[in-house]
Amino acid sequence: MRDVLYLEQIEQAEALLKPQRIEVLRQLAEPHSCTEVATVLDQTPQRVYYHVKRLVEAGLVTQVAERKVRGIHEGVYQATARAYWLSPRLVGRLGLRRAQDELSLGYLLDLVEQVQSDIAALDRTRPELPSLGVSGEIRLRPEQRQEFFEDLRTTLQDLFTRYGGAEGDAFRLAVACYPTRPEEDDHE
């Protein structure tokens, strides 16, 4: 099972985005037959099989085994991934984004889309995928923001200069800084 399946085809999104199929998919986080899933969801095996068949056609579920139960062959299915990401390209760009400078929300949205696409394209069959994720929260008074952004830009530019040579493995470094939602501030 993959960690993430990046959905770039509208047919995959259509197969996934039905409430009953999402429930079936959740049950298939572990291998199960349609009969087992039907029992948990209080549905008929035929109804579950219909949804499983659509999920298999979309590449969201695979048959991992087959067993004989009372003379009937029964498939055992499992979700192909732990998470499913919908590509922003499924909808496409609606209208123009605002100014594309580094301090704009439009630039941040473009960056996030690029990171999502890059991660989805990684070869997860490689034995080692060196990566680093760091997240934290800082608090800035309005008069500190510009100084902070300049310090951050200078620090990153120093890293790009020191490690930006033509030799070695290439890594993308993306840094996002955005305000938290007001309800996230209520945890104090």
Side-chain angles (χ1 to χ4, degrees), residues 3-32:
D3 286 331
V4 175
L5 184 61
Y6 193 57
L7 307 180
E8 296 183 275
Q9 299 172 2
I10 194 73
E11 296 80 18
Q12 289 177 308
E14 287 174 343
L16 176 65
L17 296 176
K18 300 208 181 297
Q20 289 178 327
R21 289 198 192 134
I22 290 174
E23 287 305 313
V24 169
L25 192 61
R26 284 188 180 122
Q27 294 301 313
L28 295 176
E30 298 296 325
H32 290 294

Side-chain angles (χ1 to χ4, degrees), residues 102-117:
E102 294 172 338
L103 298 178
S104 73
L105 182 58
Y107 185 86
L108 183 58
L109 290 170
D110 286 343
L111 177 63
V112 169
E113 287 178 17
Q114 180 64 50
V115 169
Q116 182 179 4
S117 178

